[in-house]
Amino acid sequence: MRTFALSILVSLAVAVPSTADAKKQKPDTPEDKLSCKQIAGRMQVSIIEARGFADRKQASSLARGIQSGFAATLGNAAHGIDPQGEHAASIQKLREYNQRLVEKGCKSYDLDAELQKSDISDVPAPTVLPPKKKKASAPAAP
């Protein structure tokens, strides 16, 4: 009986915080309404999170399987079950944000160079200048 109660308590401890966090989140600004500064800030945080992914130790497949079982059973967040897929999605999102910066005429990031850096004190910054706008040429005189 004691082990059953302990397993129930552990299950609740895993499930309750994630549902409480989900309720606290307020709606985010729609992505099409973000300013250059907001996009660059989001990219800065994502780049720092993505740096050194290959060097980080990943959870074992057994741990991911247990987490997957808890997620399916208790409705807990499935974050961390597929770290490779999450990393690839994060990089794709960075590339989309960078393209939006270019389209808006803002400074953008050299993503490959920024992701290669490993120094923790090296804060990412947009360094690629926006494309120059073509000046409207004056009509030719007759």
Side-chain angles (χ1 to χ4, degrees):
M1 182 67 179
R2 192 175 203 175
T3 56
F4 178 72
L6 182 61
S7 63
I8 295 295
L9 289 175
V10 168
S11 300
L12 288 174
V14 170
V16 171
S18 64
T19 56
D21 288 341
K23 290 178 183 176
K24 286 182 187 176
Q25 293 178 351
K26 59 182 179 180
D28 207 4
T29 306
E31 296 214 350
D32 58 338
K33 305 281 187 209
L34 295 174
S35 69
C36 292
K37 187 175 181 179
Q38 289 171 320
I39 294 171
R42 288 183 182 198
M43 287 185 69
Q44 194 175 42
V45 172
S46 296
I47 289 170
I48 291 172
E49 288 176 348
R51 282 182 181 166
F53 175 78
D55 299 335
R56 256 183 252 138
K57 292 188 178 201
Q58 303 296 327
S60 68
S61 59
L62 174 64
R64 287 195 301 266
I66 291 171
Q67 183 179 4
S68 171
F70 271 117
T73 306
L74 302 172
N76 195 359
H79 172 75
I81 294 175
D82 181 18
Q84 296 290 338
E86 288 177 17
H87 179 68
S90 173
I91 298 299
Q92 180 60 33
K93 187 71 166 173
L94 281 170
R95 295 197 187 286
E96 290 170 8
Y97 276 152
N98 208 32
Q99 184 59 37
R100 290 216 24 238
L101 286 175
V102 171
E103 290 168 0
K104 290 181 113 184
C106 309
K107 276 187 171 182
S108 59
Y109 289 85
D110 181 2
L111 285 177
D112 295 328
E114 290 293 345
L115 291 170
Q116 294 300 319
K117 296 177 184 176
S118 60
D119 185 14
I120 191 77
S121 63
D122 188 9
V123 178
T127 55
V128 179
L129 295 175
K132 293 185 178 183
K133 295 179 182 177
K134 295 181 181 180
K135 295 180 180 178
S137 58

